[in-house]
Amino acid sequence: MGAAGDARPRGRPKKAPDAIDEGNRRQELLRAAGRLFRQQGFAATSTRDIAAAAGMRAGSPFYHFENKAALLFAVVEQGMHAALERQAQVLCALPARADTAARLRALVRVHFDILLGPDSDFVPVMLYEWRSLDLPQRRAIAGLQRAYEDAWKTAIEALHAAGGIGGDARLARLMILGALNWSVQWYRVGQGASLDELCDSALQLFVRAPARRGGRQSAPP
Amino acid sequence: MGAAGDARPRGRPKKAPDAIDEGNRRQELLRAAGRLFRQQGFAATSTRDIAAAAGMRAGSPFYHFENKAALLFAVVEQGMHAALERQAQVLCALPARADTAARLRALVRVHFDILLGPDSDFVPVMLYEWRSLDLPQRRAIAGLQRAYEDAWKTAIEALHAAGGIGGDARLARLMILGALNWSVQWYRVGQGASLDELCDSALQLFVRAPARRGGRQSAPP
DNA sequence: CCTACCGATCGGTAGG
DNA sequence: CCTACCGATCGGTAGG
């Protein structure tokens, strides 16, 4: 993807005073870009801002990324890959005989974590800055989004068929995801409800059947 | 607000070849700005783009507005004023003995119209570009938003108390409004569901009691 | 990854 | 509201 930076050293780099792992600097750029893109938006963030936040000079980001748009794309792509991994992990960790309501609860909970938890800049940047991507980039991201939403489609359609969710199934999915995605606009960490409480309230709002189960199913040994 | 343009002619302006109603030009600028801010975002839209879309030269918008931020503020403020008016009008048009579910339905329906109907750029610009406002501007808008959301607060709390809405009442309000506001991201006019169908589906998703009433309560005379 | 730099664009203004 | 213009900033590059 663009100018490759795959000259990453194999072992531990020699600790010369300025020895710097190139992969680390690239990742630092991504984190800085993600934070600034989320705070100010893509167009309002200069590559100089990003360079300074990563402790570099104005021209240096272009050693790691072809241009500003490539930086945005890398943030978004990495965000979606991480989100897909976390989603898959959470679904796999469910007990084999978990019902649909439990699956939906897991999806909602991990989604709040992806949007609002620690290191959660990348997916909000995707949600709110995707229009700054060009068409090929959008298409690449759309594939990852489809995979992410497929899990939701399955769970919501099953629950909808069982009468646990009202309205049109497709519109219900769009509106439920919208309700969660909008939390980026108003949720402030450490103020008000916890992510667990958010998850509970969301499910009580959207799901009719009393899907509550006291606590987690993983009881102490 | 800013350089006043209140030399508006009283009657019909003499139709000289270039006779131009100043209020019209200002309004044309606002419409062009609203459309472009919605499409591309505030930071990615140049004042030259706006001027060109309104048929002006690069410097002319600054005859009507002090600076670019004042243009954004005017768009957002006008959007909120119009939204408040439409909301009030719809609530007043309800039959006196309309129940809470009918009030919520009216709020949802007019909200979709404000977000997705004809001439619906201004409120989406507020929702997605408010962070480009400075602090005093944000405070001014926050007052209008509070008024707009008060109607929702009343309706949702009443319905929540009656068991028609699940979860925490405040979080339910935030999530319901979020679900609707997010529709700006995916809804395309003329494709898929109509705004009436969106409204139906939203209420069936969020409200437990069978608040359906066949059609409108305003029967033919 | 830094130094030094460039061309383009942008918000905004003077003066009419 | 146009003409003509300015200073600042921005994305990006050459060369090391």
Side-chain angles (χ1 to χ4, degrees):
Chain A
M1 179 147 304
D6 35 16
R8 216 185 294 192
R10 307 281 166 76
R12 255 266 202 65
K14 308 271 184 208
K15 264 217 187 148
D18 275 0
I20 284 156
D21 180 344
E22 275 199 9
N24 275 354
R25 302 312 306 266
R26 187 190 145 99
Q27 198 57 31
E28 279 166 39
L29 270 175
L30 284 180
R31 290 172 66 95
R35 188 167 49 79
L36 291 169
F37 288 162
R38 179 177 193 168
Q39 278 174 13
Q40 315 172 356
F42 173 77
T45 301
S46 71
T47 55
R48 281 164 167 81
D49 291 341
I50 298 167
M56 295 177 184
R57 299 308 184 107
S60 301
F62 301 100
Y63 170 75
H64 296 278
F65 297 92
E66 251 194 322
N67 51 39
K68 194 187 174 190
L71 236 173
L72 174 61
F73 180 70
V75 164
V76 168
E77 195 190 27
Q78 195 168 111
M80 273 313 294
H81 275 128
L84 277 166
E85 263 178 47
R86 294 175 71 176
Q87 185 190 66
Q89 203 172 343
V90 158
L91 290 179
C92 283
L94 281 176
R97 41 173 234 80
D99 60 2
T100 313
R103 289 181 71 85
L104 184 63
R105 171 175 292 272
L107 288 176
V108 170
R109 187 60 185 80
V110 74
H111 195 67
F112 275 130
D113 238 7
I114 288 166
L115 293 180
L116 308 171
D119 301 316
S120 59
D121 288 330
F122 288 12
V123 170
V125 166
M126 182 203 65
L127 291 174
Y128 288 93
E129 304 297 329
W130 61 269
R131 66 180 160 188
S132 296
L133 297 170
D134 62 34
L135 217 69
Q137 290 173 329
R138 276 188 219 183
R139 266 196 276 265
I141 299 302
L144 301 174
Q145 287 177 319
R146 178 184 303 256
Y148 188 84
E149 289 187 22
D150 266 351
W152 288 83
K153 211 174 160 208
T154 308
I156 286 176
E157 281 174 0
L159 214 50
H160 180 265
I165 284 179
D168 174 76
R170 179 179 155 271
L171 292 177
R173 173 170 53 85
L174 289 166
M175 290 193 197
I176 290 173
L177 276 167
L180 307 191
N181 290 342
W182 195 255
S183 68
V184 170
Q185 301 264 4
W186 52 264
Y187 186 77
R188 292 296 159 254
V189 184
Q191 293 180 30
S194 69
L195 297 189
D196 280 325
E197 290 165 341
L198 242 57
C199 177
D200 285 342
S201 226
L203 290 164
Q204 288 162 26
L205 173 63
F206 297 127
V207 183
R208 284 162 156 72
R212 308 204 55 193
R213 263 288 175 121
R216 297 285 167 76
Q217 269 162 318
S218 56
Chain B
M1 183 147 301
D6 34 16
R8 214 186 295 192
R10 307 283 166 75
R12 255 266 202 66
K14 309 271 184 205
K15 266 217 187 148
D18 276 0
I20 284 156
D21 181 342
E22 276 200 8
N24 274 356
R25 303 311 306 265
R26 187 190 146 100
Q27 198 58 32
E28 279 167 38
L29 270 175
L30 284 180
R31 289 172 68 96
R35 188 168 48 80
L36 291 170
F37 288 162
R38 179 178 195 169
Q39 278 175 14
Q40 317 173 354
F42 172 76
T45 301
S46 71
T47 55
R48 280 165 168 79
D49 291 340
I50 298 167
M56 297 178 185
R57 300 308 183 106
S60 301
F62 301 100
Y63 170 76
H64 296 277
F65 297 93
E66 250 194 322
N67 51 40
K68 194 187 174 191
L71 236 174
L72 174 61
F73 180 71
V75 164
V76 167
E77 194 189 27
Q78 194 167 112
M80 273 312 295
H81 275 128
L84 276 167
E85 261 177 48
R86 295 174 70 176
Q87 186 191 65
Q89 203 172 342
V90 160
L91 289 180
C92 283
L94 281 176
R97 40 175 234 81
D99 61 1
T100 313
R103 290 181 70 84
L104 185 63
R105 171 176 292 272
L107 288 175
V108 170
R109 187 59 185 81
V110 73
H111 195 66
F112 275 130
D113 237 8
I114 288 165
L115 293 180
L116 308 171
D119 300 317
S120 60
D121 288 330
F122 288 12
V123 170
V125 167
M126 181 202 66
L127 290 174
Y128 288 93
E129 304 297 330
W130 61 268
R131 65 180 161 189
S132 296
L133 298 170
D134 62 33
L135 216 69
Q137 290 174 329
R138 277 188 218 183
R139 267 197 276 264
I141 299 302
L144 301 174
Q145 286 177 318
R146 177 183 304 255
Y148 188 83
E149 289 187 22
D150 265 351
W152 289 82
K153 211 175 161 207
T154 307
I156 287 177
E157 281 173 1
L159 214 50
H160 180 265
I165 284 180
D168 174 76
R170 179 178 155 270
L171 292 177
R173 173 171 52 85
L174 289 166
M175 290 192 198
I176 291 173
L177 276 167
L180 307 191
N181 291 343
W182 195 255
S183 68
V184 170
Q185 300 265 2
W186 52 264
Y187 186 77
R188 293 294 159 257
V189 184
Q191 293 180 28
S194 68
L195 297 189
D196 280 326
E197 289 164 342
L198 244 56
C199 178
D200 285 342
S201 225
L203 289 165
Q204 288 162 25
L205 173 63
F206 297 128
V207 182
R208 284 161 158 73
R212 308 204 57 193
R213 264 287 174 121
R216 295 288 167 76
Q217 269 162 318
S218 56

